[in-house]
Amino acid sequence: MSEPRRLRIRVAVPDDDEGLALLDRLAWSRLHAVMPRPQPPYPPFFSDRHAPEDCLVAEVGDRLAGCLRLGFPTPVEANRHVLQVQGLAVAQEARGRGVGRALVRAAVDEARRRGARRLTLRVLAHNTPARGLYEAEGFVVEGVLPEEFLLDGHYVDDVLMGRFL
């Protein structure tokens, strides 16, 4: 019997743009998305706001299994000691296999490597799978923005979570 394909986490490269854009579109769900479902023409995955070096990629064998974007929560220099998870996507076929957990752990390591003191994120209150993952990885609820989003006719709280590094 052959060895199962290993999960590998790496920093994205410009050539990942098309594959990550497709992964992001396929992973779209109202469970986590506040923007409408993407429609053509699709924008590139990388932009001025999110460069390849700000994205961690999960691969199983030669297939993209997930990605996580890191960024600064504000453009203010006094806030540069904080990094923020600004997107996490896992391919449908890779869910429940530790890909999201591996990406979150890699983000913690990368934030430390970059000298951050804290790592934060925002998650919709009804996204219990993501909240459970984040809590299991040391994130705590630091605030709630009640009814911050109106999604499909329902108000949804935005939960602010963070952890010290």
Side-chain angles (χ1 to χ4, degrees), residues 70-90:
L70 281 174
F72 292 108
T74 72
V76 178
E77 186 62 35
N79 190 225
R80 286 291 184 247
H81 62 286
V82 179
L83 280 173
Q84 185 178 57
V85 174
Q86 296 181 337
L88 171 63
V90 176

Side-chain angles (χ1 to χ4, degrees), residues 36-55:
R37 182 181 296 275
Q39 299 296 317
Y42 300 118
F45 187 79
F46 299 123
S47 66
D48 291 343
R49 186 169 176 232
H50 292 288
E53 59 269 16
D54 295 327
C55 183

Side-chain angles (χ1 to χ4, degrees), residues 9 20 39-40 88 159:
I9 307 292
L20 290 173
Q39 299 296 317
L88 171 63
V159 180

Side-chain angles (χ1 to χ4, degrees), residues 9-10 56 68 70 100-112:
I9 307 292
R10 62 173 174 79
L56 299 173
L68 184 147
L70 281 174
R101 185 174 308 279
L103 282 165
V104 170
R105 288 179 178 174
V108 168
D109 291 344
E110 179 64 12
R112 282 187 182 125

Side-chain angles (χ1 to χ4, degrees), residues 2-38:
S2 65
E3 182 177 319
R5 293 184 179 192
R6 294 252 188 251
L7 173 65
R8 179 172 83 111
I9 307 292
R10 62 173 174 79
V11 175
V13 295
D15 285 346
D16 291 321
D17 188 87
E18 188 175 317
L20 290 173
L22 177 60
L23 171 72
D24 198 46
R25 289 192 306 272
L26 292 175
W28 185 96
S29 165
R30 190 49 83 198
L31 190 61
H32 63 81
V34 297
M35 298 296 288
R37 182 181 296 275

Side-chain angles (χ1 to χ4, degrees), residues 112-134:
R112 282 187 182 125
R113 188 190 71 73
R114 292 185 187 192
R117 291 179 40 86
R118 289 180 22 81
L119 183 60
T120 64
L121 58 89
R122 296 170 70 164
V123 60
L124 296 176
H126 65 239
N127 191 346
T128 54
R131 290 179 65 185
L133 168 63
Y134 299 139

